[in-house]
Amino acid sequence: MQARSHKDSQVRNDFVIRIGGDTAIGGVISTGENFTTAAARLGFQVFTFRSYPAEIKGGHAWFQVRISNRPVLSTGDGVDILVAFDQEAYERHCGELREGSVIIYDSDLVQVDDGRFIRYGVPFQRIARQELNFARGTNVLVLGLMAGLFGLPLDCLQDLVRLRYKRRAELVEKNLEALAYGFDYTKKIRKEDKYYLGTSDHVSRLIMSGNDAIVAGALYAGCRFFAGYPITPASDILESMARELPRLGGICLQAEDEMAAIASCIGASYGGTKAMTATSGPGFSLMIELLGLASMTELPLVLVDAQRSGPSTGMPTKLEQADLFQALYGGHGDFPRIVLAPASVEDCLYRAVHAFNLAEKYQMPVIVLSDQSLSHRTQTIDMPNLSRLPVVNRLQPGDGASEEYARYALSDTGVSPVALPGVHVHTYVAPGLEHDERGHPNQSPQVHEAMTEKRFLKLSSAAADTDSPDWAPRYGHPKAQVGVIGWGASEGAIREAVERATAKGYKVAALHPRILNPLPQAQIREFAASVKRVLVPEVNYQGQFAHHLAASLGISPVRFNKIGGLPFTPAEILGKIEEVASHV
Amino acid sequence: MSDHPRSTAGGTRTRVAPRPEVVRTAKDYKGEVKPVWCPGCGDFGVLSAVTKALAALQVKPYEVVIVSGIGCSSRMPYFMSTYGLHGVHGRAIPLASGLKLSRPDLTVFAMGGDGDLMSIGAGHLPHVAARNIDITCVMMDNQVYGLTKGQGSPTSPMGHLSKSTPYGMIAKPAKPVLLALTYGATFVARGYSAQPNELSELIVEAVQHKGFSFIQVQSPCTEFYNTYDQYDSLVTDLPEDWDRSDLRAAIDLALTEDKVHLGVFFEEERPVYEIEARKFEEEVQPFDLTSYLRRFA
């Protein structure tokens, strides 16, 4: 029982496991997923990241999970434990291992030549074929090994295996056998590492992805129409909607292209149904003309852009925060749109609800900028408390048939009541053409000016609603010298870097706006004025958010740009904070 | 062509008995905005036919939505008293689809020209036909880009001379009726704007048809491609005993080039998308977030 007798004070219970191998082996990703789910069910907190080839079959895939008995904010730094199914996995990832890191590998296939690592070689495939007579059981065998080595109880994994193969009874027994074999095999291994999960708080949490959370929030907010076209990494939103909406009285349409997807949503919104589409960069580009139509006709619409590396087809399965310019400025003509950027899986759920509320209240498109790392990572989150989040519906005209109705009536907030076909007798045309208050085409200079101002007035009204600490939370040192302003999915890495920098004695704080248009200007100005230097880390080349801050508020931050398709690690941001702090 | 019979009032040859309480006339479906079309434009005839058809159907104006794209013909919604959605170029069909899918109670039209529906938005036609969404698509075909002042279009004939085809159109013209038939539209017809009464009957039938209806309307452009004389001599009614359930015969007829047949080429019953997509309607539950999230526990 070497594997479970290790209980000295050096035990590490916050660690990163990475699993890599060719997808042709089968189950590389699912090994990681099963381990993660089992840990989360036991009350551990998890944060996963995956990278997979753009090809369907074959190619290197990897999955990583950080597990802790405390809240996990980021992917962490480097790799503590590597599970290598093949030589490529070892060679690709060994650079991120450290002195004392563990490598578990298929001893028939992988040559480990570095003595700094603790090595557990097991002939995965040979055991599966020869001992178990079940070649496809390799991944479950490895799952058993991992459970035995790092302290997950066998029964929890047995439940998962039963669940996973419940429709294929003949596979359940074989997999349970493989699992037990792997688990028992660790009794023969002399455990030399210090990684062991120990006990958790046993609080029951949810484990979900950013895309899962967006769907849950959208359904809660009342989304009953979805149209989308398959595109990585947004397709699983379409799939979830296709499964859920029919049972909620809604409609999900797999459209023939992205123009049709967003157009269908605009049509549904015209009829009074809350509608959403989800896409990634290439599809977002195709939708832009219709985004302008939604803004011109003042129809509520939610568009999720799960950003991936571009331009063009780019790197479809890798992340980038490089669609911000397009979200903020894309399209011809002057038109308002609201841009939100959820900061974590949990925030995806809340932000999706806000997106619908803002779209309904201000009758304009709301873009939710997620990214590949957020779409597909899973995180443990607490059961959401939505009691503070009311659901908002668009302003509609009164019932009086005789009252004078002008769909685009000018008002103090810019918002005017929307009549619905079949519901209100006040017929009107939602016009792509410039129009007067009744919606009739009118191209006089006075009308174009008044209507442009009306449309943008709604954005100012939305700004008054959202320029608050709720929308741009600040944390860190109250008298910070270095201030980090980030956006989107890098919040966790930034937060962790700020915590570590603070522990090292740096005076550093961070602000992480969840709304990028309209900017929470007062929050950002106050924050920027309170620090000596502002640092803006973002995963793009052009420094799109830094540019937006400079253009909108005259702030000229230190830019810290990462490209390459992977998210920031806390260590990278910490290093930059230290560098900036040394020049303050 | 100033002596040609244009759309005129009257023409109530319809199978639908008016309801006794409020009798609406075609005029009740015309809007406050006066059409901006050129004198003699075929689209006047279409406007007249649509309003007559709605009067025959006695549908309430606020339960009708005219969705359109961009082009002369796509201005239609502004000239009516119904609801309307004037979209962007080529997207009338998906805009109308989203509306009809989410609000099957409404009477929804998708209207546009040959540029809108045969060129920039042609990719939507196969899909809406295959899905069989219950909208009525009226394509006003003037075989030219009128709003942009006369360029050749996908339905312009070979050799057609225009400002964008100064040496003659090189492409073969699209055959909208043939395409609609092969795409699986469940109601396919052709009308002529100079015969608004007959056209209004086609529209009544199309609206009553359960599923996707496609009507190609020859609607000449007096300004850039005046084809009234040509169509007056080419149009002919479908044979008296035409069997509208015979798809192969309809396809054969749609291939004909020496005559332009008017009438209902084809009609069939097929499951309608927005009804099929509501198969759980009986058991619809309100969304409960807490129970939804249990699957992630």
Side-chain angles (χ1 to χ4, degrees):
Chain A
M1 287 294 288
Q2 287 288 348
R4 270 159 290 165
S5 62
H6 196 97
K7 284 182 182 156
D8 63 45
S9 58
Q10 297 297 306
V11 164
R12 283 270 313 272
N13 53 15
D14 177 348
F15 53 85
V16 174
I17 302 180
R18 187 176 292 179
I19 303 163
D22 195 287
T23 52
I25 296 167
V28 172
I29 299 280
S30 70
T31 307
E33 284 175 339
N34 285 330
F35 191 81
T36 302
T37 305
R41 284 185 171 184
L42 290 165
F44 292 97
Q45 308 223 25
V46 300
F47 189 116
T48 72
F49 181 79
R50 65 196 66 199
S51 181
Y52 33 82
E55 296 74 26
I56 299 298
K57 201 73 186 164
H60 182 75
W62 58 272
F63 176 96
Q64 137 175 340
V65 57
R66 181 171 167 197
I67 304 183
S68 176
N69 56 7
R70 297 181 300 276
V72 185
L73 301 174
S74 76
T75 51
D77 294 308
V79 175
D80 300 302
I81 297 155
L82 175 66
V83 180
F85 279 83
D86 54 25
Q87 186 69 21
E88 185 182 1
Y90 171 66
E91 285 171 8
R92 270 179 185 251
H93 304 291
C94 67
E96 288 178 71
L97 297 172
R98 291 177 282 246
E99 178 97 38
S101 287
V102 178
I103 168 162
I104 305 165
Y105 58 99
D106 191 321
S107 52
D108 287 344
L109 301 175
V110 183
Q111 295 288 319
V112 179
D113 46 18
D114 195 323
R116 294 177 303 150
F117 310 140
I118 295 164
R119 291 174 288 182
Y120 305 129
V122 181
F124 304 161
Q125 295 205 35
R126 177 147 51 95
I127 293 175
R129 274 196 309 270
Q130 296 177 3
E131 307 293 323
L132 300 166
N133 196 22
F134 183 45
R136 277 185 296 163
T138 308
N139 59 332
V140 178
L141 171 82
V142 174
L143 187 63
L145 286 170
M146 290 163 62
L149 283 167
F150 307 116
L152 278 185
L154 185 61
D155 54 356
C156 187
L157 288 160
Q158 285 169 331
D159 289 347
L160 269 185
V161 166
R162 286 193 193 98
L163 191 69
R164 193 152 184 134
Y165 297 101
K166 66 182 172 190
R167 292 206 191 92
R168 304 185 64 184
E170 76 282 6
L171 291 180
V172 172
E173 283 313 309
K174 295 297 287 178
N175 276 296
L176 285 175
E177 194 188 333
L179 181 73
Y181 192 100
F183 192 84
D184 291 337
Y185 192 94
T186 60
K187 293 170 186 166
K188 293 186 281 186
I189 296 174
R190 181 180 157 73
K191 187 172 164 77
E192 295 165 22
D193 64 90
K194 54 188 184 296
Y195 303 105
Y196 199 75
L197 281 171
T199 54
S200 67
D201 60 8
H202 297 287
V203 168
S204 136
R205 293 186 183 81
L206 305 170
I207 173 164
M208 57 203 299
S209 70
N211 282 350
D212 292 334
I214 284 172
V215 169
L219 294 175
Y220 175 80
C223 175
R224 292 297 178 271
F225 186 87
F226 180 91
Y229 184 82
I231 186 167
T232 305
S235 303
D236 40 336
I237 296 180
L238 165 66
E239 291 162 8
S240 297
M241 288 295 192
R243 189 182 63 234
E244 300 305 325
L245 277 176
R247 294 181 181 278
L248 295 167
I251 293 281
C252 176
L253 177 71
Q254 179 175 329
E256 58 271 25
D257 57 43
E258 281 92 350
M259 283 97 69
I262 186 173
S264 305
C265 289
I266 293 170
S269 183
Y270 180 76
T273 306
K274 293 186 186 180
M276 178 169 99
T277 184
T279 185
S280 187
F284 186 33
S285 296
L286 288 174
M287 291 181 178
I288 295 290
E289 185 194 15
L290 282 135
L291 193 71
L293 177 71
S295 197
M296 183 62 146
T297 53
E298 303 193 39
L299 290 170
L301 173 76
V302 175
L303 188 165
V304 177
D305 173 23
Q307 300 167 94
R308 66 190 214 188
S309 292
S312 192
T313 309
M315 301 195 286
T317 59
K318 305 283 189 267
L319 95 130
E320 212 157 73
Q321 295 178 297
D323 293 356
L324 180 59
F325 280 165
Q326 173 145 287
L328 294 170
Y329 312 125
H332 61 280
D334 289 315
F335 67 87
R337 78 295 297 273
I338 291 170
V339 181
L340 308 185
S344 64
V345 169
E346 185 171 33
D347 199 35
C348 281
L349 196 152
Y350 290 98
R351 234 35 68 184
V353 179
H354 281 299
F356 277 93
N357 288 350
L358 289 168
E360 289 286 317
K361 190 166 178 188
Y362 296 107
Q363 301 173 20
M364 68 169 81
V366 177
I367 298 160
V368 179
L369 279 181
S370 171
D371 68 48
Q372 181 272 336
S373 75
L374 189 51
S375 301
H376 285 167
R377 84 184 182 211
T378 47
Q379 236 180 313
T380 32
I381 65 171
D382 290 331
M383 201 69 183
N385 174 9
L386 290 161
S387 60
R388 293 180 297 119
L389 209 53
V391 170
V392 175
N393 296 312
R394 69 192 73 174
L395 184 66
Q396 294 179 22
D399 295 328
S402 60
E403 79 182 66
E404 188 65 14
Y405 175 70
R407 164 66 185 99
Y408 299 102
L410 302 177
S411 73
D412 293 345
T413 57
V415 175
S416 42
V418 200
L420 303 180
V423 176
H424 302 102
V425 295
H426 316 288
T427 60
Y428 80 101
V429 177
L433 285 169
E434 187 56 286
H435 47 272
D436 62 18
E437 293 181 77
R438 310 271 317 265
H440 297 163
N442 187 320
Q443 304 186 10
S444 73
Q446 295 79 8
V447 163
H448 183 46
E449 189 176 342
M451 283 294 153
T452 303
E453 278 170 4
K454 174 201 193 292
R455 292 187 286 268
F456 276 95
L457 179 57
K458 294 186 296 174
L459 200 63
S460 308
S461 303
D465 260 7
T466 53
D467 195 349
S468 67
D470 282 353
W471 281 91
R474 178 196 163 120
Y475 53 89
H477 201 286
K479 290 187 174 149
Q481 294 196 304
V482 178
V484 185
I485 307 181
W487 68 280
S490 32
E491 186 187 51
I494 295 172
R495 193 179 277 266
E496 207 168 325
V498 167
E499 283 172 9
R500 285 199 223 164
T502 305
K504 290 175 110 176
Y506 292 100
K507 289 179 179 169
V508 55
L511 188 81
H512 208 86
R514 276 100 166 101
I515 183 162
L516 308 183
N517 197 52
L519 277 174
Q521 296 204 1
Q523 309 303 312
I524 295 173
R525 278 188 209 281
E526 189 185 325
F527 179 79
S530 76
V531 298
K532 290 215 165 86
R533 208 79 182 90
V534 172
L535 169 67
V536 174
E538 49 188 326
V539 188
N540 60 46
Y541 183 79
Q542 296 179 97
Q544 299 188 1
F545 188 51
H547 183 93
H548 185 44
L549 289 175
S552 309
L553 299 170
I555 295 168
S556 50
V558 176
R559 299 176 179 208
F560 182 36
N561 299 91
K562 176 172 180 172
I563 50 171
L566 294 173
F568 278 116
T569 64
E572 287 166 345
I573 292 170
L574 176 63
K576 193 69 185 177
I577 289 171
E578 290 179 312
E579 183 194 314
V580 173
S582 70
H583 292 94
V584 168
Chain B
M1 288 307 302
S2 56
D3 61 340
H4 199 278
R6 301 281 179 265
S7 47
T8 49
T12 46
R13 287 188 285 158
T14 167
R15 281 152 234 189
V16 181
R19 285 173 204 158
E21 65 275 24
V22 194
V23 180
R24 295 182 185 83
T25 65
K27 203 162 162 271
D28 294 321
Y29 298 92
K30 287 195 173 148
E32 297 165 22
V33 179
K34 292 284 159 263
V36 290
W37 295 314
C38 306
C41 175
D43 295 344
F44 283 105
V46 182
L47 174 62
S48 168
V50 172
T51 54
K52 267 180 221 164
L54 293 175
L57 291 158
Q58 285 294 298
V59 55
K60 297 182 183 105
Y62 76 94
E63 292 175 345
V64 178
V65 187
I66 312 286
V67 182
S68 66
I70 296 296
C72 295
S73 55
S74 287
R75 295 289 177 102
M76 187 68 78
Y78 294 114
F79 313 139
M80 299 193 57
S81 67
T82 63
Y83 273 92
L85 175 50
H86 183 212
V88 300
H89 202 19
R91 312 301 160 218
I93 284 174
L95 286 162
S97 296
L99 176 61
K100 182 66 183 182
L101 291 177
S102 59
R103 289 289 307 278
D105 56 310
L106 299 171
T107 299
V108 178
F109 287 83
M111 301 181 88
D114 41 305
D116 213 77
L117 294 163
M118 280 292 118
S119 190
I120 190 169
H124 304 302
L125 194 55
H127 302 281
V128 72
R131 291 175 189 132
N132 201 29
I133 299 173
D134 187 12
I135 57 185
T136 299
C137 180
V138 179
M139 182 182 124
M140 289 164 261
D141 186 357
N142 61 5
Q143 301 170 275
V144 73
Y145 283 88
L147 196 62
T148 49
K149 309 214 181 294
Q151 299 82 3
S153 96
T155 51
S156 303
M158 286 282 271
H160 176 69
L161 294 171
S162 76
K163 282 182 272 187
S164 64
T165 54
Y167 310 113
M169 174 66 80
I170 297 170
K172 199 166 146 43
K175 290 185 161 56
V177 166
L178 178 66
L179 289 171
L181 288 167
T182 54
Y183 290 155
T186 51
F187 180 100
V188 181
R190 186 189 285 131
Y192 181 27
S193 65
Q195 297 182 9
N197 293 337
E198 291 79 357
L199 177 58
S200 93
E201 287 180 19
L202 293 178
I203 294 169
V204 166
E205 279 205 68
V207 171
Q208 288 174 327
H209 171 77
K210 298 273 178 279
F212 180 69
S213 322
F214 180 82
I215 306 175
Q216 179 199 9
V217 183
Q218 301 295 350
S219 180
C221 172
T222 47
E223 196 67 28
F224 298 108
Y225 189 34
N226 194 329
T227 52
Y228 278 115
D229 284 341
Q230 185 189 332
Y231 281 105
D232 283 345
S233 64
L234 282 175
V235 296
T236 178
D237 287 342
L238 286 170
E240 283 280 317
D241 57 346
W242 182 253
D243 176 7
R244 62 168 73 172
S245 69
D246 189 341
L247 180 61
R248 283 170 195 280
I251 287 171
D252 271 347
L253 199 68
L255 281 163
T256 310
E257 293 186 348
D258 56 339
K259 282 281 167 194
V260 174
H261 291 91
L262 303 180
V264 181
F265 279 63
F266 179 71
E267 183 175 16
E268 70 170 348
E269 289 291 316
R270 215 173 67 216
V272 173
Y273 192 101
E274 60 271 28
I275 294 170
E276 293 300 300
R278 285 184 165 73
K279 61 177 76 151
F280 299 110
E281 198 149 59
E282 306 288 294
E283 46 193 278
V284 164
Q285 296 282 326
F287 182 72
D288 179 76
L289 185 68
T290 309
S291 66
Y292 178 76
L293 290 176
R294 246 174 239 138
R295 73 194 66 191
F296 300 106

